[in-house]
Amino acid sequence: MSTALHAAGVVLPGGESRDLWITGGRISFEPVPDAETLGRDVFLVPGLVDAHCHPGIGVGGPVSLEEATEQALADRAAGTLLIRDCGLPIDVRPLQERADLPTIIRAGRHLALAKRYIPGLGIELDDPSQLPAAVAEQAREGDGWVKLVGDWIDRGVGDLAPLWPDDVLAEAVKVAHDHGARVTAHVFGEAALPGLIASGIDCLEHGTGLRADQLSELARNDVALVPTLINIENFPGIADKAGKYPAYADHMRALHAGVGEMVATAIEAGVRVFAGSDAGGMVEHGRLVDEIEALHRAGMTREAALASASWGAREWLGHPGIADGAPADLLVYASDPREDLGVLRHPEHIVLGGVVYA
């Protein structure tokens, strides 16, 4: 296909009908001679965003760069053109150098305590007091995000429990902000939430234990939430395998039962909620549309659910959508995905960096 491309249709999110051209890997609203037309009367959507994704983690833990590449290609095939990695055990900077793969925003490695997270994935600190220094290192190494493990099962307690004292969390978040990085945290249960929220954190992952008053506080402080609903569907299975820890098993089942109501309350409270598949490990790559549909079922309008995985997420992460001079990362659909989210599964064309991959 020629390097110059053209499309005419409805441009989201604004909804205006117009022509656009692609040349040199970028979008132009000025005509480009001899451009090949991708479609007319189509719907043009900024490339999808998976705000919680792990190209580099598999069922057994860390994977090779070759497998991570295949995972990223599976995401691209589903229309995901921007990934916030949300913690990786391998260095995927070689993937960032490839123009044919989704843009990856690296969050460095998960920060946890010894024996308090999935083995092999994170940096395991010996003492909570080491967290601020570790955060500084990950902030320097990453692309503007740091990932903490806020809670995990404590086998001595037999249930989910926080990893970090409140004062250490507050210091660690300040250190990250001083380095120009934002902080997010894995959190399932309730006990770790007050300290995480009070720390000045920027985002919470999963957040299944959040109460209505805490969600209102998130909205007031502009703390984002990435609920990873399709991964929460694994909670009953996790509970079934946790027979040695009945309190933990019951807790996980209760969190699963309440997650839909929690997300609905978050939406009503005005929390900025974004779509993240948590692909890697228990969730296959390429399932972002499943997450978008799950957010719609939880109470988002179709358009809001799409925004949470497209133009809204791009704005949050500092990446443009469809704009004059922006990178040509967009999807072409024959019909309006705002009317039927299932349309997202069938793009006419996937354009990444001005190159058509489907």
Side-chain angles (χ1 to χ4, degrees), residues 296-307:
H296 172 54
R297 290 193 296 272
M300 278 189 171
T301 66
R302 290 182 181 87
E303 185 164 354
L306 176 54

Side-chain angles (χ1 to χ4, degrees), residues 1 50 54 85 100 110-111 134 159 183 242 268 297 302 308 356:
M1 188 167 284
D50 195 333
H54 303 283
D85 79 37
D100 63 328
H110 304 73
L111 295 175
D159 200 356
V183 182
E268 292 170 6
R297 290 193 296 272
R302 290 182 181 87
S308 79
V356 180

Side-chain angles (χ1 to χ4, degrees), residues 50 52-54 188 206 228 230-231 276-284:
D50 195 333
H52 186 133
C53 188
H54 303 283
F188 284 159
H206 320 300
T228 67
I230 61 173
N231 192 30
S277 69
D278 206 355
M282 300 187 78
V283 176
E284 292 182 359

Side-chain angles (χ1 to χ4, degrees), residues 284-357:
E284 292 182 359
H285 285 262
R287 290 192 57 197
L288 182 61
V289 177
D290 290 340
E291 183 69 17
I292 297 169
E293 292 178 333
L295 288 171
H296 172 54
R297 290 193 296 272
M300 278 189 171
T301 66
R302 290 182 181 87
E303 185 164 354
L306 176 54
S308 79
S310 181
W311 57 86
R314 285 179 168 274
E315 179 184 18
W316 176 56
L317 294 171
H319 286 250
I322 297 176
D324 194 30
D329 299 341
L330 57 92
L331 306 168
V332 181
Y333 296 99
S335 54
D336 192 345
R338 298 171 299 178
E339 300 296 325
D340 177 6
L341 292 173
V343 168
L344 295 172
R345 300 184 186 280
H346 306 289
E348 296 290 303
H349 300 290
I350 297 170
V351 184
L352 175 62
V355 177
V356 180
Y357 288 99

Side-chain angles (χ1 to χ4, degrees), residues 197-208:
I197 295 170
S199 73
I201 202 163
D202 302 284
C203 183
L204 296 174
E205 311 298 318
H206 320 300
T208 40

Side-chain angles (χ1 to χ4, degrees), residues 11 48 51 80 93 135 138 158 161 169 172 179 187 193 213 236 276 314 334 355 357:
V11 178
L48 298 183
T80 296
R93 276 175 282 201
V135 163
Q138 293 306 303
L169 274 175
H179 282 77
V187 57
L193 285 166
D213 61 317
R314 285 179 168 274
V355 177
Y357 288 99

